[in-house]
């Protein structure tokens, strides 16, 4: 581009020249002289004045056709061409059109072709030059024509046509030969005719115009010809003189030459020059850089380059992954090595590499004890299956046995080993171990049926492991004990006791405790005492269990009427105060009462009410105080306690008994009106109970005492009771006949009989009893929906002795039917109306669960805290309560509170709550950008192992996010691929989530490469 000052200067020169010569035209010249003058100026390249003079000639001869005018018109047009005038092409075309027979037309074509070529309008240049008849050109012009024609076609990428024209002048002694050689050699280079290209470039390597370019091509040609020695000899000395833009590429080729000659250190020197000058490294470049560093034992540097090319499915990527795995082995980063080998083993590019990577992956996984998805077992199993003839199969089989023996992924290991049709002794022992530990997982999750099945499989597997088989008997006994199958439980406890080496097992005291309870529940009190007394001698026994054992021993002695011993053990339990001291206190009082030590009993009961004012035995104590005072003849104190029972404990089982006693005391004191009032309360509120019948008898006695039988009948009628002076015996007989069948366990027959009773006596004295027992029969025979109707009938009637059980059954049925709102109503009512502490605890527990299903966060928190404050809750309930508190705070986005609760639950991952909690802890740490803590939690999760694969897979995805946060996309991508390859459930969204994240990371990597390429091109 010209600057403004340069343009002004040239313009003034042109104008001054024009003025000088126009002044001369004032002197009249002949056309010939004028033409000669113009021709001289043209030869001197003074095209402006020359064109003026040619114009004068044309004007002088415009009416006289002659050769001079034609020649003037030709030069006039050519001046326009050389001056780049806008009308140049028009003038040339006009000349050709008007003078078709002139020899100058051929030169006009040539001049126009030159002009288009000069303006780099190569297509137009070819069009004009194609019209030239070379016969009329001299040697130099012909050579020029060939070069321009060839080069124009070259620039149009019409190489085959171009090379024909260029070839014509390769060996001519003309200035156009050298550029022709260059372009011809370039075409040969592009067409991979490397030797032809090399020959040409060697001819012009010293030419000043091309000597900075030619070495670049020669170096490349040697590279393509794999003449690495020639590269090493030729290229390095020329590198410093190379054009800066070409230098990195030549350095790469030199580096590759040394690389191919195994001279890795020197290769790295030139690779470094290449890297500094080029931001766009190909996968092959990175591989060579990686491998050279690998061979030089620079494993950390090599790993970085191998990682960059490991995300593809090519043979190069597979090779990189295998070497990357070895780098990580050398760097003692076996977790990363496992990922690399695993990824290589999933690629098909090179079968041999795949096989070797397969085995390496399995061995590293085994070495790390890392099998969250049963990786070691699955990979070793598949290796043995896929490569049975490999010389490494024996090694794989050896480690497979060890993997089965050491695995903690019992769920998948079980599925795998059960596919092995013929098991040798090693595998049989592994099977015994796997079935045992898988059984314990089911036990933790509360699935006793599956746990029992697998324990039986473990026991039946053989006598390989002298530790596991006795333990299988122990846990089998524990489950049978829970299932109230006490006979079988006792048999299995004894199998445990009879096994060698169990005396020192930590389970031994628990087995003693278990068999003590089994014999207690079998009412084998003498045996039970022996076992419980044996248990309390263990120093390792917890204070809570010892206190419980004291109570049971006391109960056994009480039943055996050894009251002195019973009192001794109740006192020991009270003193220990570790478990149910209120029960021990009440039983002590009751035992004193049996011994007729009424005042001691009274003092003990007072102590209970004073020390344990919210005990579930307070209503018992209050009522028993009434009985004790009554036995001592102190009616006033008895009445006070009976009234207290009615007023302070309105939900108590003892209320109807206290009302009957109050009626009886008042009757005996001839306070008939007061007595009638108490009896009437029983009739109104406790229909169908034994106390109701006692109250009816009491009322009858009151009216008989008043000699008023008619009054009795009238009174009963007012209570809507159609009775005669004697109770309808048919009612009683029909009901009790059904009840007897029920007691014999003939539930289907009992249903029919209770139904007959309810049809015959819809308002019968036992209608509530019959409806409840009918519902219970239906429940026991699996007809819960029909049973629900009867239980609801019980609840629709007045409160009775069956209300609590009916509420419990209705609540459980509604929850099972997922009618959580209805279940919640029943459980709230159960809590308020229940007398049994166990039912209250269940009501609170299930209310919490209902609120979880109804997503009422504040209520979840409230009920979970209440459940934790309950005295007799199981470990499972505690875990669930803490988990629900954590989930509620998580939902409320209070991560700190959620985290503290999740941590409490996350110490074990056998339960689903523990597994999810472990994931949540890692997830929250990630959200808080505590990456190291996040990764530690995931690694702990993997180490602990879990059968809850969903949450383990979720933890892996969080681990991938943690790697992304550390800018370690390689680890992230291959962690996600590990999930995608090993996770089996295709319906729960895990695979989709992992795949989406992998695609996002790969797209990010691709985008980075595109940006790098774009930047490199701009530079």
């Amino acid at each position: 581009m010209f600057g403004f000052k340069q343009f002004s200067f040239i313009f003034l020169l042109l104008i001054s020249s024009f003025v000088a010569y126009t002044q001369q035209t004032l002197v009249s010249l002949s056309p010939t002289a004028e033409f000669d003058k113009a021709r001289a100026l043209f030869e001197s390249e003074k095209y402006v004045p020359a064109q003026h003079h040619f114009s004068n000639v044309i004007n002088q001869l415009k009416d006289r056709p002659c050769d001079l005018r034609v020649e003037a018109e030709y030069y006039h047009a050519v001046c326009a061409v050389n001056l780049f005038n806008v009308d140049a092409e028009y003038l040339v075309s006009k000349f050709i059109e008007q003078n078709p027979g002139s020899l100058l037309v051929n030169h006009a074509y040539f001049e126009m072709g030159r002009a288009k070529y000069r303006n780099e309008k190569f297509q137009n240049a070819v069009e004009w030059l194609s019209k030239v008849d070379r016969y009329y050109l001299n040697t130099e012009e012909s050579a020029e024509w060939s070069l321009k024609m060839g080069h124009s076609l070259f620039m149009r990428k019409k190489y085959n046509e171009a090379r024909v024209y260029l070839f014509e002048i390769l060996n001519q002694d003309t200035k156009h030969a050298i550029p022709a050689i260059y372009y011809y050699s370039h075409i040969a280079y592009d067409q991979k005719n490397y030797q032809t290209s090399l020959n040409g470039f060697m001819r012009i390597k010293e030419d000043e115009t091309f000597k900075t370019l030619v070495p670049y091509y020669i170096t490349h040609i040697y590279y393509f010809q794999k003449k690495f020695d020639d590269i090493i000899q030729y290229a390095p000395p020329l590198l410093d003189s190379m054009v800066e833009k070409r230098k990195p590429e030549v350095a790469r080729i030199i580096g590759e030459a040394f690389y191919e000659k195994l001279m890795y250190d020197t290769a790295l020197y030139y690779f470094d020059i290449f890297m500094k000058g080029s931001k766009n490294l190909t996968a092959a470049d990175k591989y060579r850089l990686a491998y050279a560093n690998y061979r030089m034992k620079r494993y950390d540097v090599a790993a970085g380059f191998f990682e960059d090319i490991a995300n593809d499915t090519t043979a190069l990527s597979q090779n990189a992954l295998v070497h990357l795995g070895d780098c990580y082995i050398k760097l003692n980063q076996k977790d990363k090595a496992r990922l690399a080998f695993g990824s290589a083993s999933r690629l098909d590019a090179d079968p041999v590499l795949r096989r070797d990577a397969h085995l390496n992956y399995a061995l590293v996984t085994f070495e790390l004890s890392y099998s969250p998805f049963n990786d070691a077992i699955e990979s070793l199993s598949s290796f043995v299956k896929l490569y049975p003839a490999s010389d490494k199969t024996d090694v794989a089989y050896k480690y497979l046995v060890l993997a089965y023996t050491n695995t903690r992924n019992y769920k998948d290991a079980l599925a795998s080993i059960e596919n092995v049709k013929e098991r040798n002794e090693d595998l049989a022992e592994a099977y015994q171990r796997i079935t045992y530990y898988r059984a314990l997982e089911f036990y933790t999750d509360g699935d006793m049926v599956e746990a029992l099945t697998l324990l039986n499989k473990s026991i039946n597997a053989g006598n390989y492991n002298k530790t596991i088989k006795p333990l299988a008997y122990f846990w089998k006994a524990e489950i049978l004990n829970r299932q109230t199958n006490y006979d079988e439980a006792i048999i299995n406890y004894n199998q445990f006791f009879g096994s060698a080496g169990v005396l020192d097992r930590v389970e031994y005291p628990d087995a003693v405790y278990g068999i003590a309870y089994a014999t207690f529940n079998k009412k084998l009190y003498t045996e039970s005492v022996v076992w419980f007394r044996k248990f309390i001698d263990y120093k390792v026994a917890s204070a809570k269990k010892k206190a419980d054992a004291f109570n049971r021993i006391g109960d056994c002695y009480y039943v055996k009427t050894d009251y002195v011993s019973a009192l001794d053990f109740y006192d020991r339990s009270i003193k220990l105060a570790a478990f149910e001291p209120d029960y021990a206190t009440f039983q002590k009082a009751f035992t004193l009462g049996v011994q007729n030590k009424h005042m001691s009993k009274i003092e003990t009961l007072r102590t209970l009410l004073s020390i344990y004012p919210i005990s579930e035995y307070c209503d018992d104590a209050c009522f028993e105080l009434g009985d004790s005072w009554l036995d001592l003849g102190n009616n006033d104190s008895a009445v006070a306690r009976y009234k207290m029972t009615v007023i302070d404990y309105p939900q108590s089982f003892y209320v109807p008994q206290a009302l009957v006693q109050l009626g009886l005391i008042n009757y005996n004191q001839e306070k008939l009106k007061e007595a009638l009032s108490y009896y009437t309360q029983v009739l109104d509120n406790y229909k169908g109970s034994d106390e109701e019948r006692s109250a009816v008898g009491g009322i009858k006695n009151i009216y008989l005492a008043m000699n008023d039988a008619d009054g009795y009948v009238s009174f009963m009628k007012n209570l809507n009771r159609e009775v005669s002076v004697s109770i309808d015996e048919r009612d009683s007989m029909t009901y009790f006949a059904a009840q007897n069948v029920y007691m014999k366990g003939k539930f289907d027959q009992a249903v029919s009989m209770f139904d007959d009773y309810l049809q015959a006596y819809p308002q019968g004295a036992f209608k509530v009893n019959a409806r409840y027992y009918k519902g219970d029969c239906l429940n026991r025979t699996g007809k819960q929906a029909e049973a629900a109707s009867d239980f609801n009938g019980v609840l629709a009637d007045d409160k009775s002795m069956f209300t609590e059980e009916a509420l419990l059954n209705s609540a459980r049925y509604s929850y099972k039917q997922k009618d959580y709102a209805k279940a919640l109503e029943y459980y709230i009512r159960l809590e308020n109306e229940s007398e049994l502490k166990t039912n209250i605890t269940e009501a609170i527990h299930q209310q919490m669960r209902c609120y979880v299903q109804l997503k009422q966060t504040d209520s979840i928190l409230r009920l979970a805290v209440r459940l934790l404050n309950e005295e007799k809750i199981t470990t499972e309930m505690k875990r669930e309560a803490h988990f629900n508190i954590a989930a509620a705070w998580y939902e409320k986005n209070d991560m700190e509170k959620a985290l503290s609760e999740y941590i409490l639950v996350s110490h074990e991952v056998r339960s689903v709550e523990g597994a999810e909690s472990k994931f949540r802890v890692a997830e929250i740490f990630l959200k808080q950008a505590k990456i190291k803590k996040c990764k530690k939690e995931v690694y702990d999760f993997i180490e602990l192992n879990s059968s809850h694969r969903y949450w383990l897979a979720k933890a892996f995805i969080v681990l991938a996010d943690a790697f992304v946060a550390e800018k370690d996309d390689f680890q992230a991508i291959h962690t996600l691929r590990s999930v995608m390859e090993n996770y089996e459930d295709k319906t729960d969204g895990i695979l989709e989530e992992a795949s989406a994240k992998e695609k996002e990371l790969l797209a990010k990597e691709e985008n980075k490469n595109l940006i790098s390429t774009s930047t490199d091109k701009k530079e």
Side-chain angles (χ1 to χ4, degrees):
M1 296 287 291
F2 285 113
F4 176 74
K5 290 181 178 180
Q6 291 171 306
F7 176 81
S8 300
F9 176 72
I10 293 169
F11 180 76
L12 289 172
L13 283 176
L14 289 172
I15 293 299
S16 61
S17 298
F18 176 74
V19 171
Y21 287 105
T22 52
Q23 287 175 348
Q24 294 179 25
T25 62
L26 296 175
V27 181
S28 178
L29 297 174
S30 68
T32 302
E34 191 78 33
F35 180 84
D36 290 339
K37 186 71 172 177
R39 182 65 184 268
L41 290 167
F42 180 87
E43 295 298 332
S44 301
E45 298 183 2
K46 296 177 180 179
Y47 301 116
V48 173
Q51 188 181 42
H52 177 72
H53 286 291
F54 285 129
S55 182
N56 288 340
V57 173
I58 294 168
N59 288 333
Q60 290 177 25
L61 301 174
K62 63 181 178 179
D63 296 326
R64 292 156 48 189
C66 62
D67 291 340
L68 188 61
R69 193 195 73 186
V70 170
E71 194 170 353
E73 288 176 347
Y74 165 74
Y75 281 111
H76 182 269
V78 172
C79 283
V81 170
N82 286 307
L83 288 170
F84 302 98
N85 290 345
V86 294
D87 62 347
E89 190 167 353
Y90 166 75
L91 292 172
V92 173
S93 299
K94 181 180 177 183
F95 171 78
I96 294 169
E97 182 183 348
Q98 292 178 348
N99 304 284
S102 174
L103 292 177
L104 291 173
V105 167
N106 194 57
H107 285 284
Y109 288 143
F110 189 36
E111 288 295 339
M112 201 64 210
R114 280 173 166 170
K116 295 298 183 182
Y117 178 85
R118 192 166 54 240
N119 291 333
E120 297 185 357
K121 295 182 179 180
F122 299 111
Q123 178 61 33
N124 296 134
V126 170
E127 291 171 0
W128 284 103
L129 291 171
S130 296
K131 297 176 182 181
V132 175
D133 187 344
R134 295 174 65 191
Y135 178 80
Y136 296 105
L137 301 179
N138 61 35
T139 302
E140 190 66 27
E141 288 174 333
S142 181
E144 180 185 356
W145 180 90
S146 295
L147 175 63
K148 286 180 166 54
M149 190 68 172
H151 187 225
S152 294
L153 289 166
F154 173 89
M155 295 304 292
R156 298 288 297 163
K157 299 189 185 306
K158 296 183 177 182
Y159 299 131
N160 287 332
E161 297 175 50
R163 65 198 299 271
V164 172
Y165 294 105
L166 295 169
F167 181 77
E168 294 175 355
I169 57 174
L170 292 181
N171 298 311
Q172 290 184 8
D173 185 14
T174 171
K175 67 179 182 179
H176 302 296
I178 289 177
I181 292 169
Y182 175 81
Y183 293 121
Y184 186 84
S185 300
H186 195 296
I187 291 171
Y189 176 87
D190 280 349
Q191 294 181 337
K192 297 182 172 56
N193 297 321
Y194 295 122
Q195 191 58 46
T196 299
S197 179
L198 179 64
N199 293 339
F201 283 129
M202 293 299 281
R203 287 177 61 188
I204 62 172
K205 65 180 182 179
E206 300 300 332
D207 182 81
E208 286 297 323
T209 303
F210 297 107
K211 70 178 182 180
T212 58
L213 294 174
V214 166
Y216 176 79
Y217 289 99
I218 292 174
T219 303
H220 269 83
I221 291 167
Y222 283 148
Y223 175 73
F224 293 134
Q225 293 178 325
K226 299 188 182 304
K227 294 179 178 179
F228 302 116
D229 289 326
D230 289 342
I231 293 172
I232 291 171
Q233 183 178 2
Y234 173 77
L238 300 173
L239 187 62
D240 288 339
S241 62
M242 287 271 181
V243 176
E244 283 299 319
K245 186 177 180 180
R246 305 286 188 185
K247 193 177 291 186
E249 177 64 9
V250 174
R252 178 187 67 79
I253 293 172
I254 298 170
E256 285 191 36
F258 282 110
Y259 176 92
E260 293 295 334
K261 301 300 288 184
L262 309 184
M263 301 168 69
Y264 298 112
D265 200 20
T266 309
L268 285 171
Y269 168 78
Y270 287 101
F271 284 152
D272 186 56
I273 296 172
F274 164 60
M275 285 178 62
K276 288 176 180 177
S278 176
K279 295 181 180 178
N280 185 28
L281 302 184
T282 66
D285 294 332
K286 291 176 181 177
Y287 181 83
R288 280 184 284 269
L289 280 162
Y291 190 76
N293 279 287
Y294 172 80
R295 292 300 300 267
M296 295 303 296
K297 299 184 179 181
R298 299 168 185 167
Y299 299 116
D300 53 344
V301 178
F305 287 115
F306 280 134
E307 279 187 3
D308 284 347
I309 54 174
N311 293 327
D312 209 337
T313 58
T314 62
L316 187 68
S317 290
Q318 188 178 30
N319 207 306
L321 283 163
V322 171
H323 284 97
L324 178 60
D326 195 45
C327 284
Y328 284 135
I329 293 289
K330 300 288 196 306
L331 293 168
N332 199 31
Q333 297 180 30
K334 292 181 181 178
D335 282 323
K336 290 186 176 183
R338 186 190 60 81
L339 282 175
F341 288 135
S343 295
S345 73
R346 293 188 285 272
L347 298 178
D348 296 321
D350 187 326
V352 175
L353 281 177
R354 182 176 188 178
R355 181 199 65 194
D356 293 346
H358 193 148
L359 184 60
N360 283 333
Y361 169 76
L363 297 180
V364 175
T365 300
F366 173 80
E367 187 179 342
L368 290 170
S369 300
Y370 181 102
S371 284
F373 299 108
N374 206 35
D375 310 52
I377 287 174
E378 286 302 318
S379 55
L380 287 165
S381 297
S382 61
F383 185 88
V384 170
K385 183 178 179 181
L386 290 170
Y387 309 108
S390 170
D391 58 351
K392 297 177 182 177
T393 299
D394 289 342
V395 175
Y397 197 87
K398 171 188 172 184
Y399 279 94
L400 177 60
V401 172
L402 291 172
Y404 276 130
T405 304
N406 297 328
T407 185
R408 283 177 290 177
N409 186 347
Y410 307 112
K411 177 182 177 182
D412 292 334
L414 180 61
S416 176
I417 200 170
E418 286 191 333
N419 287 328
V420 180
K421 294 179 181 178
E422 295 183 9
R423 304 185 194 113
N424 61 16
E425 286 194 3
D426 290 332
L427 283 179
E429 182 176 353
Y431 183 73
Q432 182 185 35
R433 176 181 181 276
I434 290 164
T435 49
Y436 169 74
Y437 283 109
R438 181 64 178 140
L440 294 191
E441 289 182 337
F442 278 118
Y443 181 90
T444 300
D445 281 343
D447 190 340
M448 300 303 158
V449 175
E450 284 297 325
L452 202 56
T453 299
L454 287 172
L455 287 170
N456 284 328
K457 285 185 176 183
S458 182
I459 290 168
N460 295 330
N463 296 309
Y464 301 104
N465 192 305
K466 304 302 181 185
T467 299
I468 284 177
K469 191 165 186 176
L471 291 175
Y473 280 122
F474 166 74
W475 288 109
K476 183 179 176 183
E478 290 282 284
I479 293 170
L480 292 166
N481 218 355
R482 278 193 178 195
Q483 295 176 335
T484 70
N485 188 347
Y486 303 120
D487 289 327
E488 288 296 318
I490 290 168
I491 290 171
N492 280 276
Y493 280 128
N494 283 322
Q495 288 280 12
F496 171 75
F497 293 134
S499 303
V502 298
L503 279 170
D504 296 326
R505 299 292 308 175
V506 294
E507 292 83 3
Y508 196 89
D510 290 331
V512 172
Y513 186 74
I515 198 172
Y517 252 110
T519 51
F520 180 84
N521 289 322
K522 284 278 294 175
K523 299 184 176 7
L524 303 173
Y525 298 117
T526 301
E527 292 180 44
S528 184
V529 164
V530 172
W531 286 111
F532 275 123
R533 295 196 74 147
K534 185 175 182 179
F535 174 77
I536 61 178
D537 288 336
Y538 287 109
K539 292 181 180 179
V540 295
S542 68
K544 183 176 180 179
K545 281 189 174 181
K546 272 191 176 182
D548 182 50
F550 288 147
N551 284 339
R552 297 296 80 79
I553 295 169
D555 292 342
C556 290
Y557 282 128
Y558 177 87
V559 172
K560 291 162 63 68
T561 68
D562 184 349
Y563 301 125
V564 173
S565 297
L567 286 171
D568 176 43
F569 281 94
Y570 289 138
D571 278 332
R572 290 168 74 173
S573 178
I574 293 166
K575 183 178 180 181
L576 191 57
F579 185 71
E580 294 189 337
D582 52 342
Y583 171 82
T585 304
F586 178 76
Q587 285 299 108
K588 175 184 177 181
F590 204 84
T591 305
L592 289 168
V594 173
Q595 293 178 306
N596 294 315
K597 297 178 180 179
H598 297 296
M599 287 309 299
S600 296
K601 175 185 176 182
I602 289 169
E603 287 305 315
T604 304
L605 291 172
R606 282 174 171 169
T607 299
L608 189 154
L609 291 170
S610 173
I611 297 177
Y612 310 107
I614 59 172
S615 167
E616 62 180 300
Y617 300 103
C618 285
D619 59 332
D620 305 67
C622 194
F623 180 80
E624 285 296 327
L625 279 169
D627 278 358
S628 295
W629 286 119
L630 189 63
D631 289 339
L632 290 171
N634 188 338
N635 289 340
D636 290 341
S637 293
V639 166
R641 285 297 177 177
Y642 288 138
K643 285 183 177 180
M644 189 180 295
T645 301
V646 173
I647 295 168
D648 291 351
Y649 309 101
Q651 306 301 326
S652 174
F653 174 80
Y654 292 102
V655 170
Q657 297 180 53
L659 289 170
V660 169
Q661 292 292 71
L662 286 168
L664 182 61
I665 292 171
N666 279 281
Y667 174 81
N668 289 334
Q669 292 177 343
E670 298 185 355
K671 298 176 181 178
L672 302 183
K673 185 177 179 182
E674 289 84 348
L676 184 60
S677 172
Y678 287 122
Y679 286 138
T680 302
Q681 288 183 58
V682 176
L683 265 60
D684 288 341
N685 299 311
Y686 302 97
K687 295 176 182 178
S689 65
D690 292 338
E691 287 77 14
E692 181 193 36
R693 289 187 287 279
S694 297
V696 169
I699 292 170
K700 182 178 180 181
N701 289 334
I702 289 171
Y703 277 97
L704 288 175
M706 295 188 296
N707 296 315
D708 188 3
D710 291 337
Y712 169 66
V713 173
S714 175
F715 178 83
M716 297 302 287
K717 282 183 178 180
N718 288 334
L719 293 175
N720 294 319
R721 292 173 179 267
E722 297 294 333
V723 296
S724 60
V725 175
S726 62
I727 298 174
D728 191 332
E729 292 186 359
R730 285 177 300 171
D731 180 324
S732 301
M733 288 176 64
T734 305
Y735 168 74
F736 284 114
Q739 188 184 62
N740 288 335
V741 173
Y742 168 82
M743 293 299 180
K744 292 177 182 178
K746 299 177 180 180
F747 301 120
D748 289 327
Q749 185 182 350
V751 167
S752 178
M753 294 179 72
F754 282 126
D755 198 46
D756 289 343
Y757 171 81
L758 290 168
Q759 293 291 331
Y761 305 102
Q763 298 300 323
F766 303 101
K767 66 174 183 177
V768 176
N769 310 48
R771 192 168 291 283
Y772 172 76
Y773 287 130
K774 179 189 170 190
D776 191 47
C777 290
L778 291 167
N779 213 21
R780 289 171 185 265
T781 54
K783 299 173 182 176
Q784 284 86 6
E786 295 175 52
S789 176
D790 285 297
F791 290 137
N792 286 335
V794 173
L795 297 177
D797 213 317
D798 295 332
K799 183 176 180 181
S800 67
M801 62 184 292
F802 302 104
T803 299
E804 186 169 345
E805 282 299 310
L807 276 171
L808 186 62
N809 281 291
S810 294
R812 287 173 175 173
Y813 177 73
S814 296
Y815 190 87
K816 185 178 180 181
Q817 294 299 115
K818 299 183 179 180
D819 187 349
Y820 302 115
K822 192 67 177 175
L824 183 61
E825 291 179 19
Y826 284 130
Y827 279 122
I828 290 172
R829 186 176 166 190
L830 177 65
E831 182 191 353
N832 293 330
E833 298 183 24
S834 181
E835 297 175 17
L836 293 176
K837 187 65 177 175
T838 53
N839 285 346
I840 293 172
T841 300
E842 180 174 341
I844 294 170
H845 182 204
Q846 290 301 113
Q847 284 178 61
M848 176 189 73
R849 286 183 164 184
C850 288
Y851 284 127
V852 168
Q853 296 297 333
L854 295 170
K855 302 187 187 316
Q856 296 184 19
T857 310
D858 291 333
S859 295
I860 293 170
L861 288 169
R862 176 170 54 83
L863 266 297
V865 171
R866 285 187 58 197
L867 181 63
L868 289 171
N869 288 328
E870 287 294 297
E871 182 182 1
K872 298 176 184 177
I873 63 170
T874 64
T875 301
E876 293 79 9
M877 286 181 182
K878 284 182 181 178
R879 180 176 65 221
E880 188 180 349
H882 282 297
F883 174 79
N884 284 329
I885 291 171
W889 285 122
Y890 184 93
E891 185 67 24
K892 292 166 80 71
N893 203 34
D894 191 331
M895 294 301 158
E896 285 301 328
K897 288 181 179 176
L899 181 62
S900 64
E901 293 291 331
Y902 278 133
I903 287 173
L904 289 176
V905 187
S906 68
H907 296 300
E908 60 80 33
V909 293
R910 286 185 176 180
S911 69
V912 66
E913 296 94 349
E916 182 177 349
S917 294
K918 199 69 173 173
F919 159 72
R920 294 294 179 195
V921 171
E923 182 190 42
I924 291 171
F925 279 141
L926 179 67
K927 288 181 177 182
Q928 295 175 338
K930 297 176 180 177
I931 306 303
K932 287 185 179 178
K933 286 187 175 182
C934 168
K935 289 169 65 178
K936 181 181 182 301
E937 288 300 318
V938 179
Y939 291 140
D940 284 348
F941 199 169
I942 294 166
E943 179 68 21
L944 290 169
N945 216 301
S946 175
S947 61
H948 301 287
R949 302 287 295 280
Y950 177 84
W951 294 113
L952 186 57
K954 291 284 284 183
F956 263 68
I957 293 171
V958 161
L959 180 61
D961 289 337
F963 285 132
V964 171
E966 291 181 326
K967 303 188 186 308
D968 190 346
D969 287 359
F970 170 82
Q971 284 269 66
I973 289 168
H974 290 278
T975 298
L976 292 169
R977 285 181 179 171
S978 177
V979 175
M980 292 159 65
E981 289 290 334
N982 294 294
Y983 191 73
E984 294 174 353
D985 193 329
K986 294 178 171 55
T987 63
D988 60 11
I990 288 292
L991 294 178
E992 290 82 356
E993 184 179 0
S995 177
K997 284 183 177 287
E998 185 216 26
K999 287 178 182 176
E1000 185 180 334
L1001 286 171
L1002 290 175
K1004 186 173 80 172
E1005 289 294 308
E1006 182 66 23
N1007 190 46
K1008 278 164 51 179
N1009 290 336
L1010 287 173
I1011 292 171
S1012 174
T1013 303
S1014 175
T1015 304
D1016 197 51
K1017 284 181 178 178
K1018 287 178 182 178
E1019 291 182 352

